[in-house]
């Protein structure tokens, strides 16, 4: 499978591990909440956040809040998400090298989209903090629909009349979602996950821009 501006009618991006790294800010938010809410010695490290980025909400709760009843996990997670949003609006995360200028170049070639397993409002926080909102045509997330990533990819495709988009993500779950939605997948190998079965991969965001700009692409 080859990808390029002439071979796809849209680029759909995962967010965490693909466009930015917010793990330090998110870890600080979760640590502050769990300490305030009854676990005074609990610290959640950025690596723990990276390990669950992109996973469904329930898996994330079980990994970060082990040993608690599900109802308690849910209550804490809601508090953590609110604290995330507050801190991310103020502090943001770290865009991966080449993302800002690369997206500006890509948006002149092909429509851009985001699909994530995140909570409602997280994508919007990223877009507001980064100033990249004008470059994206549409977004979708688990928090809006309650659906998994494959279904959200299909919904976004139908809504925007896409016939042959590519999905760019950094984890094996991204690859599986793309396969379930019938989409070509490009592994962002600079991100959080290992995807040995990926047919296409990029080692940097600049490589994606270059591949999309190749003559005849």
């Amino acid at each position: 499978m080859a990808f390029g501006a002439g071979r796809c009618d849209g680029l759909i991006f995962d967010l965490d591990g693909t466009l930015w790294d917010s793990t330090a800010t998110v870890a600080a938010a979760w640590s502050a909440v769990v300490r305030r809410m009854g676990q005074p010695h609990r610290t959640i490290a950025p690596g723990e956040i990276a390990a669950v980025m992109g996973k469904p909400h329930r898996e994330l709760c079980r990994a970060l809040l082990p040993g608690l009843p599900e109802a308690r996990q849910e209550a804490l997670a809601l508090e953590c998400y609110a604290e995330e949003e507050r801190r991310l609006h103020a502090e943001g995360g770290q865009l991966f090298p080449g993302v800002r200028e690369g997206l500006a170049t890509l948006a002149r070639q092909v429509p851009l989209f985001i699909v994530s397993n995140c909570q409602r409002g997280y994508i919007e926080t990223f877009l507001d903090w980064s100033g990249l909102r004008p470059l994206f045509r549409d977004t979708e997330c688990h928090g809006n629909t309650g659906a998994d990533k494959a279904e959200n990819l299909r919904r976004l495709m139908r809504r925007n009349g896409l016939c042959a988009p590519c999905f760019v993500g950094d984890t094996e779950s991204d690859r599986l979602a793309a396969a379930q939605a019938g989409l070509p997948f490009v592994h962002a190998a600079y991100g959080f996950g290992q995807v040995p079965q990926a047919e296409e991969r990029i080692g940097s965001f600049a490589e994606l821009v270059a591949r999309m700009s190749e003559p005849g692409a």
Side-chain angles (χ1 to χ4, degrees):
M1 183 275 291
F3 67 94
R7 298 188 180 101
C8 61
D9 59 1
L11 282 177
I12 307 174
F13 292 94
D14 170 56
L15 180 48
D16 294 308
T18 302
L19 297 179
W20 77 342
D21 179 354
S22 66
T23 55
T25 305
V26 172
W30 279 68
S31 295
V33 169
V34 297
R35 288 196 295 264
R36 187 171 72 239
M37 302 290 283
Q39 298 184 33
H41 304 295
R42 174 82 163 106
T43 296
I44 296 174
E48 292 179 79
I49 298 295
V52 298
M53 285 287 193
K55 292 187 180 298
H57 167 73
R58 284 304 315 148
E59 288 186 35
L60 181 151
C61 288
R62 286 193 292 268
L64 296 180
L65 303 168
L68 297 177
E70 184 173 321
R72 181 62 173 158
Q73 288 179 345
E74 290 292 330
L76 275 173
L78 289 177
E79 292 285 340
C80 289
Y81 290 153
E83 182 67 11
E84 272 185 37
E85 183 173 357
R86 186 186 71 78
R87 292 185 182 225
L88 287 169
H89 268 296
E91 304 167 26
Q94 183 70 44
L95 292 177
F96 285 106
V99 163
R100 184 178 298 280
E101 56 270 33
L103 287 173
T105 298
L106 291 171
R108 294 192 290 269
Q109 300 174 337
V110 65
L112 306 181
F113 307 88
I114 297 174
V115 170
S116 171
N117 269 340
C118 62
Q119 69 270 24
R120 179 178 297 178
Y122 184 88
I123 297 175
E124 289 76 11
T125 298
F126 163 78
L127 293 174
D128 290 340
W129 172 82
S130 65
L132 296 171
R133 183 183 291 270
L135 300 181
F136 289 92
R137 298 280 185 92
D138 196 6
T139 68
E140 194 55 273
C141 71
H142 173 79
N144 286 342
T145 67
D148 63 22
K149 187 169 281 186
E151 174 58 24
N152 283 329
L153 286 168
R154 288 188 287 263
R155 292 185 185 197
L156 183 136
M157 289 171 62
R158 289 194 297 267
R159 196 159 67 220
N160 291 277
L162 300 175
C163 297
C166 290
F167 183 46
V168 183
D170 69 305
T171 65
E172 175 66 9
S173 62
D174 288 332
R175 186 190 71 81
L176 292 173
Q180 291 163 14
L183 301 184
F185 174 71
V186 181
H187 177 216
Y190 54 82
F192 299 146
Q194 301 294 317
V195 188
Q197 295 185 54
E199 294 183 9
E200 296 282 356
R201 67 185 74 248
I202 50 171
S204 67
F205 205 84
E207 184 178 344
L208 174 65
V209 177
R211 293 281 301 276
M212 290 292 294
S213 302
E214 287 175 356

